[in-house]
Amino acid sequence: MRRSNIRIMKMNSNNRSILMRALYADFCANREAGLPNNHLADFIRKLHEIPPGKLPLDDAEFRLARNALNHYRNERIASGGYTDAADAALIKLFKAKPPLWPFG
C-alpha cells in the first residue's frame, strides 16, 4: 500500500478565501450535474475549520485544490475578470512542500 504524500501550503486569509470560493463553485457544479460531492464537502469543512497559516494537504486534496483554482481562474478569464487572486493562490499551492522531519 502506498502512503499518501503530505504537503504544507502556507495560506493567508486571501488565499483561503479564494480557495473556498473555488471549491464551492466546483461543489455547486457537481451538485447540479448529479455527481458525488463528499470529497469536496469534506475538504471545504476542513478548510473552514483550519485558521489561516499552514494547511496540510494530502495528494487527493492537492488535486482538488489545483483543479478548483484552475476552473475558477478559467471562469474569471472567460468573464473578463481579474485573475490575480487565483494566480497567487495557485502559486502558493504549487510551492507547497512536504514537512521536514529531521529524525525519521
Side-chain angles (χ1 to χ4, degrees), residues 1-15:
M1 182 192 306
R2 184 174 169 248
R3 255 180 71 197
S4 65
N5 297 327
I6 299 293
R7 302 172 191 208
I8 304 294
M9 177 184 174
K10 292 181 183 176
M11 175 183 65
N12 61 21
S13 59
N14 293 336
N15 295 335

Side-chain angles (χ1 to χ4, degrees), residues 65-82:
R66 181 195 63 203
N67 292 342
L69 285 169
N70 200 27
H71 291 152
Y72 182 73
R73 184 177 180 278
N74 290 341
E75 289 173 6
R76 296 292 296 166
I77 290 171
S79 67
Y82 292 107

Side-chain angles (χ1 to χ4, degrees), residues 9 15-30 37 39-41 43-44 47 57 59-77 83 85-87 89-90 93-94:
M9 177 184 174
N15 295 335
R16 179 181 170 195
S17 174
I18 292 299
L19 183 54
M20 288 281 283
R21 189 175 295 171
L23 288 168
Y24 185 69
D26 276 5
F27 178 84
C28 291
N30 283 356
N37 280 328
H39 54 289
L40 280 169
F43 188 36
I44 290 171
L47 187 60
L57 300 167
D59 289 339
E61 292 169 342
F62 180 82
R63 282 191 304 275
L64 284 174
R66 181 195 63 203
N67 292 342
L69 285 169
N70 200 27
H71 291 152
Y72 182 73
R73 184 177 180 278
N74 290 341
E75 289 173 6
R76 296 292 296 166
I77 290 171
T83 62
D87 292 339
L90 273 170
L93 181 69
F94 287 127

